[in-house]
Amino acid sequence: MPRPRAYITRRIPHAALEIVAAACDYTLWDSDDQPVPRAVLLREAAQADGVLTMLSDKLDGEFAAAAPRCQVVANMAVGYDNADVPALTAHGVLLTNTPGVLTDTTADLAWALLMAAARRIVEGHKLIEAGGWKSWSPLFMVGQEISGATLGIVGAGRIGSAVARRARGFDMRVLYHNRHRAPALEAEIGAEYHSFDDLLRAADFVVVLVPLTAETRGMVGAREFALMKPTAVFVNAARGPIVQEQALVAALKHGQIAAAGLDVFEHEPIGADHPLLGLPNVVAVPHIGSATLATRTRMATAAAHNLVAALTGQPVPNPVNPEVLGHGD
Ligand code: DGY
């Protein structure tokens, strides 16, 4: 039996390459900072039995049609909004993701954004750099109180629940909104289920952690910002298109909310001239929610295991469209 051929769309940690190399012949797009060009992806996928992909790779019908041999796409992310799942399924391509291994790391980053935006950390750093620190003063650089405040989690899945758990250390009241009630989270930390609008009205901190789907695209816009407190801090550590960015810019400019901490943007990467970046009450980072070496290694090895399992007929740990496997598990 010839060894399966795999294509990997970015440089990934060595531990993951070893997993792939043990079972497959592979080539990769050997870059840290540039995504694989579309034409190269389609050309390489045409020769591959499986592809290990990044969230920046568009996995649509054109991709599936260009890859007739491809049995599996192992996406190195928990989110898979870069994939057209019905199109992959229609072509018999299994999609896998990497749930679980990045939960705490991403929750940590959401908290880092929350605290930095609330306490004006980046603004203060820039002010010192610009020579603007003149004296200590009672009302100088005052921010939002975190301890004892009310945290509103929109999307209480794995990462949302991990963000909620961290609030215990700050004696916070925790509200959540989710498609389904989360009784375990309610029992564990006393989180209170609220309607979306009630949560927006009551929360001092609104943290969005829903996946990007047709239902969640644009779910936070002008109407939602108008419901929030003028002192509210808004955090998005999920996906940019969940938020209507122009409405966010307007809400931050006009004091409808106090500040925002953002890991994700509508069109990534954003340039230095993006309207959100000129605002003093924005803390922005470049989609680094899962960016620690330990977590990126876990994500890459999880993707590698999914890829190899699918190509060698082993049980696949994280199938997104298991119906492709024919046994619906
Ligand atoms: C994911 O896995 O979906 C994250 O956005 C990557 O950090």
Side-chain angles (χ1 to χ4, degrees), residues 88-102:
L88 294 178
T89 305
H91 283 84
V93 179
L94 179 69
L95 175 68
T96 66
N97 68 341
T98 64
V101 296
L102 48 79

Side-chain angles (χ1 to χ4, degrees), residues 55 77-79 102 239 287 290 296 299:
L55 54 79
V78 64
L102 48 79
R239 286 293 185 268
H287 203 147
S290 61
R296 289 286 164 82
M299 291 166 69

Side-chain angles (χ1 to χ4, degrees), residues 133-304:
W133 188 16
K134 304 300 178 207
S135 70
W136 188 94
S137 166
L139 294 178
F140 175 59
M141 293 283 313
V142 294
Q144 306 302 322
E145 187 93 349
I146 298 170
S147 290
T150 298
L151 174 65
I153 305 281
V154 182
R158 287 187 191 84
I159 300 171
S161 298
V163 171
R165 268 183 216 108
R166 283 156 174 71
R168 282 182 299 190
F170 294 87
D171 295 325
M172 293 174 102
R173 178 180 175 210
V174 179
L175 318 181
Y176 77 98
H177 178 73
N178 205 37
R179 266 181 314 168
H180 309 291
R181 291 283 286 259
L185 191 67
E186 294 179 18
E188 185 187 345
I189 63 159
E192 303 165 34
Y193 178 83
H194 282 260
S195 72
F196 187 36
D197 287 2
D198 284 351
L199 179 148
L200 297 177
R201 285 190 197 97
D204 299 305
F205 298 91
V206 176
V207 182
V208 171
L209 284 158
V210 288
L212 176 61
T213 63
E215 289 74 41
T216 63
R217 185 176 288 276
M219 77 183 280
V220 186
R223 190 192 80 89
E224 288 70 30
F225 289 118
L227 290 177
M228 293 181 203
K229 297 180 181 183
T231 50
V233 173
F234 176 75
V235 174
N236 186 2
R239 286 293 185 268
I242 293 163
V243 178
Q244 297 173 33
E245 250 168 29
Q246 285 186 355
L248 175 58
V249 171
L252 287 160
K253 269 190 182 160
H254 302 132
Q256 267 181 323
I257 62 171
L262 305 168
D263 184 36
V264 288
F265 302 87
E266 193 168 349
H267 302 290
E268 297 178 3
I270 59 169
D273 58 347
H274 192 283
L276 280 164
L277 297 181
L279 304 176
N281 48 353
V282 169
V283 176
V285 291
H287 203 147
I288 57 169
S290 61
T292 68
L293 185 57
T295 293
R296 289 286 164 82
T297 302
R298 284 195 296 270
M299 291 166 69
T301 54

